[in-house]
């Protein structure tokens, strides 16, 4: 099994994906263990002094003015975890919780939190045992960390609360730890606070969304090219020299992908046939501009994610010179903004894909295709309601594009009076990404059927490869009406699993 070694300088996106989705094992580097021990010595020295130090010998948040005596500090750390584990709502997905735990471990191993090495090792042991704390949908405002979600994870380390075992059964966390030979941690000064004060949940969801969107944007380039081909559009608008004079990188990449898919097609460029056109509709002609803007948004979000993956997010933090300083690095604004931005881009990509699908189904705009791509229009409804489903998905995505990060709400007796709502931005982005895959799948379903209905003219080799692969995956081609939902579900899986991109790349080579 793949192993990810966590050091002091952060982790990569591929590390997060390996642990969250691939079940990779986690190990602490010798460097990390040494840094943990050194920072802990600083915290222990400060804990022994009579002067109060925030997070070490005081209360938290709006209660930070109280100096906590030594005999109450262990109780204080337990209490902050128990009281902050206040989430409600549906359970969060296993991959999100694993990413959350792993990224918290990343910050702990930086040597800036003051957590003991044995606590970090227990975090790794829980991940390696396949134990997943029960974390709920609601409880984070994206400031002072993803507090409730991280607290539910910390509760598991203490042997309390509920967790899911490797067999998928939810049981008391203490039982699961015992079965795997993991001793519950006894938290000491600052450790409870350090385990729940980070942007790890929103960051983990950002990393996974970026991976999914990379596949979906390539898929959307393919379906846009198939729709252009089915509509007898022109590929001249994809010429590199046209995109070079407006040098947005994403736009150039999307145009190049579409051009590669269409290479060798006999269907493109029929503007002066029986239904002459000067130029194609925006949804066809401007596909690279819209998808390209989304690609550039992804590039910016990836830069933010890389910076955050290299960060140590905690409050207070232990500095190399021995100071323990309060700070505001736990504020999720940088991550929240790009999560919202990605939801906007995804909604727009879905919107333009839906417009192309509608054009394929409308006999007045499809340049000779049968109404709704039906076998016997009137007797058969064809893909009429598939487009309804696509429209409903797009409409929801437009609502999900409303920014969460602009909706700060004060908390903690006005001590935490401006929050990022980054967790909420991440949660709605996950739904938007799921819906985008479905929208692209419906365009794929319509466009492949439309290309096949253009009898007597040869589509591009890449298009033929897609059609062969999607039919082999159980997605039916033209013909009389049939139970459509299973076909659409199969098309969705085909897109979501990267099989559409893989089919094209057998002809084109790697897409950009």
């Amino acid at each position: 099994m793949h192993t990810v070694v966590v050091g002091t300088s952060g982790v990569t996106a591929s590390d997060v994906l390996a642990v969250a989705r691939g079940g990779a094992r986690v190990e602490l580097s010798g460097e990390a263990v040494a840094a943990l021990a050194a920072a802990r010595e600083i915290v222990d020295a400060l804990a022994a002094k009579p002067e109060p130090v925030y997070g070490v010998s005081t209360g938290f948040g709006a209660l930070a003015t109280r100096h906590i005596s030594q005999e109450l500090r262990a109780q204080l750390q337990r209490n902050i975890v128990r009281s902050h584990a206040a989430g409600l709502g549906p359970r969060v997905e296993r991959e999100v919780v694993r990413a959350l735990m792993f990224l918290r471990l990343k910050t702990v191993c930086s040597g800036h939190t003051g957590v003991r090495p044995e606590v970090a090792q227990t975090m790794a042991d829980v991940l390696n045992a396949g134990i997943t704390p029960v974390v709920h949908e609601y409880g984070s405002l994206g400031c002072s960390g993803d507090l409730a979600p991280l607290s539910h994870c910390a509760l598991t380390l203490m042997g309390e609360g509920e967790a899911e075992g490797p067999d998928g059964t939810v049981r008391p966390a203490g039982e699961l730890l015992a079965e795997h030979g993991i001793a519950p941690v006894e938290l000491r000064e600052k450790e409870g606070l350090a385990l729940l004060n980070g942007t790890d949940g929103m960051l983990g969801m950002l990393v996974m969304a970026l991976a999914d969107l990379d596949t979906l944007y390539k898929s959307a380039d393919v379906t846009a090219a198939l729709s252009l081909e089915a509509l007898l559009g022109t590929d001249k608008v994809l010429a590199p020299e046209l995109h070079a004079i407006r040098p947005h990188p994403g736009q150039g990449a999307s145009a190049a992908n579409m051009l590669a898919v269409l290479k060798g097609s006999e269907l493109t460029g029929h503007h002066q046939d029986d239904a002459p056109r000067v130029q194609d509709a925006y949804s066809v002609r401007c596909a690279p501009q819209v998808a390209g803007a989304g690609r550039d948004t992804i590039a910016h979000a990836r830069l933010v994610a890389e910076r955050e993956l290299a960060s140590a997010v905690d409050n207070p933090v232990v500095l190399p010179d021995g100071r323990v300083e309060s700070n505001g690095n736990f504020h999720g604004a940088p991550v929240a903004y790009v999560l919202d931005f990605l939801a906007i881009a995804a909604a727009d990509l879905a919107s333009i894909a839906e417009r192309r699908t509608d054009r394929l189904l409308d006999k007045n705009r499809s340049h000779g295709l049968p109404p709704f791509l039906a076998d016997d229009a009137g007797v058969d409804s064809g893909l009429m309601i598939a487009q309804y489903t696509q429209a409903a998905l797009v409409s929801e995505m437009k609502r999900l594009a409303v920014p969460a990060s602009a909706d700060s709400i004060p908390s903690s007796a006005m001590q935490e009076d401006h929050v990022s709502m980054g967790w909420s931005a991440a949660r709605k982005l996950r739904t938007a990404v799921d819906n985008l895959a479905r929208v692209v799948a419906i365009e794929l379903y319509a466009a492949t059927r439309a290309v096949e209905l253009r009898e007597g003219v040869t589509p591009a080799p890449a298009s033929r490869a897609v059609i062969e692969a999607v039919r082999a995956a159980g997605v039916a081609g033209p013909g009389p009406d049939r139970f459509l939902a299973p076909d659409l579900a199969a098309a969705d899986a085909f897109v979501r699993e990267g099989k559409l991109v893989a089919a094209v790349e057998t002809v084109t080579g790697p897409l950009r």
Side-chain angles (χ1 to χ4, degrees):
M1 182 180 291
H2 179 60
T3 298
V4 173
V5 179
V6 183
T8 60
S9 57
V11 297
T12 66
S14 60
D15 291 336
V16 176
L17 295 170
V19 174
R21 290 179 166 173
R25 289 186 58 79
V26 178
E27 291 183 4
L28 310 184
S29 72
E31 174 195 33
V33 173
L36 284 159
R40 187 63 207 181
E41 288 181 5
I42 293 171
V43 170
D44 285 341
L46 290 172
K49 292 183 177 181
E51 298 84 6
V53 177
Y54 176 69
V56 176
S57 52
T58 70
F60 309 117
L63 303 175
T65 55
R66 179 176 171 182
H67 181 232
I68 307 299
S69 60
Q70 287 192 356
E71 65 272 14
L72 293 176
R73 290 177 190 171
Q75 180 181 339
L76 170 68
Q77 300 302 320
R78 289 194 299 271
N79 285 352
I80 190 175
V81 172
R82 290 167 175 164
S83 65
H84 286 45
L88 280 177
R91 284 179 57 195
V92 171
E93 303 84 359
R94 182 176 185 271
E95 67 176 16
V96 172
V97 179
R98 285 184 62 82
L100 175 76
M101 294 166 60
F102 175 67
L103 288 169
R104 195 70 220 136
L105 178 60
K106 173 268 297 183
T107 281
V108 165
C109 286
S110 70
H112 290 294
T113 67
V115 168
R116 289 168 294 151
E118 50 264 45
V119 176
Q121 185 59 56
T122 302
M123 296 170 76
D125 291 343
V126 169
L127 282 166
N128 293 338
I131 297 171
T132 306
V134 171
V135 172
H136 299 279
E137 180 81 18
Y138 303 105
S140 174
L141 300 179
C143 201
S144 292
D146 288 318
L147 287 175
L150 281 163
S151 297
H152 282 274
C153 294
L155 201 64
T156 294
L157 298 178
M158 292 165 50
E160 300 181 18
E162 290 188 321
E164 179 186 297
D167 64 352
T169 303
V170 174
R171 295 167 53 197
E175 291 181 9
L176 288 167
L177 294 184
E179 283 185 6
H180 289 85
I182 302 172
V185 297
E186 293 286 344
L187 298 176
R188 288 170 48 181
E189 292 93 344
K190 197 185 177 300
E191 290 179 334
L193 186 61
L195 292 176
L196 53 90
N197 207 344
T199 56
D200 310 292
M202 64 182 91
L203 176 58
M205 286 185 274
L206 172 60
V207 169
M208 288 185 283
L210 288 170
D212 294 338
L213 288 169
D214 182 65
T215 297
L216 291 177
Y217 267 77
K218 291 176 184 176
S219 300
D221 289 341
V222 174
T223 57
L226 288 167
S227 291
L228 182 153
E229 192 173 29
L231 291 166
L232 307 178
T234 178
D235 58 359
K236 291 182 179 179
V237 296
L238 305 174
E241 57 269 26
L242 293 175
H243 298 278
I245 62 176
R246 194 191 190 195
H248 294 288
Q251 176 180 323
S254 285
N257 285 346
M258 290 180 66
L259 202 57
V261 173
L262 293 169
K263 185 177 180 181
S265 175
E266 295 180 2
L267 285 164
T268 59
H270 291 265
H271 279 186
Q272 301 306 316
D273 291 353
D274 294 336
R277 283 166 280 164
V278 175
Q279 52 193 3
D280 292 315
Y282 284 9
S283 61
V284 177
R285 184 173 16 132
C286 301
Q289 285 76 10
V290 172
R295 284 170 166 268
D296 292 342
T297 301
I298 290 170
H300 171 61
R302 185 170 287 115
L303 177 61
V304 171
E306 288 170 355
R307 290 170 176 164
E308 199 76 359
L309 287 167
S311 300
V313 179
D314 193 16
N315 179 48
V317 292
V318 181
L319 297 174
D321 61 9
R323 287 180 294 148
V324 175
E325 294 287 358
S326 209
N327 68 92
N329 284 342
F330 51 72
H331 200 289
V335 182
Y337 290 169
V338 295
L339 289 163
D340 279 333
F341 202 171
L342 289 172
I344 292 170
D348 202 33
L349 186 66
S351 179
I352 198 171
E354 183 275 330
R355 287 294 80 207
R356 289 190 295 264
T357 304
D358 182 65
R359 185 167 289 272
L360 289 167
L361 305 189
D362 184 351
K363 69 174 185 177
N364 297 311
R365 295 179 291 141
S366 67
H367 308 285
L369 291 169
F372 302 105
L373 305 181
D375 187 61
D376 184 5
V379 174
D380 294 309
S381 295
L383 306 190
M384 180 189 296
I385 307 305
Q387 185 268 332
Y388 276 42
T389 300
Q390 194 184 42
L393 290 162
V394 171
S395 185
E396 182 181 21
M397 290 180 71
K398 290 175 182 177
R399 295 191 295 273
L400 292 168
V402 176
S405 57
D407 191 29
S408 174
I409 187 166
S411 59
S412 193
M414 294 300 287
Q415 175 70 8
E416 299 169 11
D417 58 351
H418 184 84
V419 297
S420 77
M421 301 306 297
W423 174 275
S424 298
R427 296 306 295 165
K428 68 184 183 65
L429 177 61
R430 281 181 69 83
T431 303
V433 170
D434 280 346
N435 284 352
L436 177 60
R438 297 175 180 120
V439 169
V440 172
I442 293 173
E443 183 180 16
L444 171 67
Y445 191 72
T448 52
R449 177 181 284 209
V451 168
E452 288 183 287
L453 288 170
R454 296 290 190 188
E455 297 177 351
V457 189
T458 305
S463 301
R464 294 199 300 273
V466 168
I467 292 169
E468 289 173 7
V470 78
R471 298 293 171 253
V475 180
D481 281 357
R482 53 188 277 139
F483 180 22
L484 208 54
D487 276 358
L488 297 182
D492 178 32
F494 188 78
V495 170
R496 196 179 300 269
E497 294 167 9
K499 293 179 180 178
L500 171 57
V501 174
V504 166
E505 290 182 337
T506 62
V507 176
T508 64
L511 296 179
R512 293 169 57 182

